Amino acid sequence: MLTCCFTGHRTFSRELYPETYDRLLDTIKDAYSKGYTNFIIGAADGLDYEAAYALNFLKQLGYKITVESAVPYPQMLEKHTAAYSAYVADKVTYVCEKSSAGSYLTRDRYMVDNSSLVIAVYDGRKSGGTLYTMNYAKKVGNDLIVIKYDKKSD
């Protein structure tokens, strides 16, 4: 069984970027057609929530997939979007016991280390967790698909 995880920005939403969301959905379907049936989501706002939504949609259509929610720390589930990610998951993994400065990056490394494919939804930022995770995926030799989009101005 092949496993895929996701990385992306907390500001991403299907409402703001519907074309990019459609590309995400198509990319997940393509990964599925290549044998990826296990997916790890990160239980945060933005892309993690939207990936959970997409995977739940595909499960309802009959796709035979399993979803793991990699939660940085248990208290994270007090947030609505993180709770949704755990609710739709077949498995919930708590990566750290409590919140810390490194709990999100620990979660990101866990997802990459337990996957062979990373799907990134990326707006070109020169720093942050998404870029860190993309670079880490390259460093450990994972396949990386980048869905690039232009951030809308606030």
Side-chain angles (χ1 to χ4, degrees):
M1 295 186 295
L2 297 173
T3 302
C4 169
C5 71
F6 301 89
T7 188
H9 304 293
R10 293 192 189 128
T11 55
F12 177 78
S13 75
R14 65 186 178 282
E15 290 84 11
L16 286 176
Y17 306 99
E19 297 87 8
T20 305
Y21 176 79
D22 289 343
R23 288 179 21 224
L24 171 64
L25 198 55
D26 289 342
T27 303
I28 295 169
K29 289 177 184 177
D30 186 56
Y32 180 82
S33 75
K34 294 176 179 167
Y36 286 88
T37 57
N38 298 313
F39 295 87
I40 305 174
I41 51 179
D45 295 336
L47 186 272
D48 291 339
Y49 177 84
E50 298 301 346
Y53 185 90
L55 292 166
N56 190 45
F57 172 72
L58 293 174
K59 285 174 86 170
Q60 291 177 7
L61 291 179
Y63 283 69
K64 304 295 183 211
I65 59 177
T66 58
V67 178
E68 176 183 356
S69 181
V71 181
Y73 51 93
Q75 298 79 13
M76 181 83 175
L77 292 184
E78 295 171 6
K79 295 183 177 185
H80 168 72
T81 54
Y84 177 77
S85 298
Y87 175 75
V88 301
D90 300 291
K91 175 184 178 185
V92 176
T93 301
Y94 298 104
V95 180
C96 299
E97 292 181 18
K98 60 183 179 174
S99 177
S100 69
S103 56
Y104 288 93
L105 296 180
T106 300
R107 183 267 326 260
D108 295 341
R109 287 189 301 274
Y110 168 85
M111 293 191 311
V112 171
D113 290 342
N114 288 280
S115 301
S116 56
L117 172 65
V118 177
I119 297 173
V121 178
Y122 178 61
D123 67 9
R125 294 178 203 184
K126 302 298 182 203
S127 64
T130 300
L131 183 62
Y132 170 87
T133 304
M134 290 168 50
N135 288 333
Y136 183 70
K138 288 184 223 175
K139 178 181 172 184
V140 301
N142 285 16
D143 290 331
L144 175 65
I145 297 172
V146 178
I147 303 170
K148 194 129 176 5
Y149 71 101
D150 293 323
K151 181 182 177 190
K152 295 184 188 291
S153 55
D154 297 326

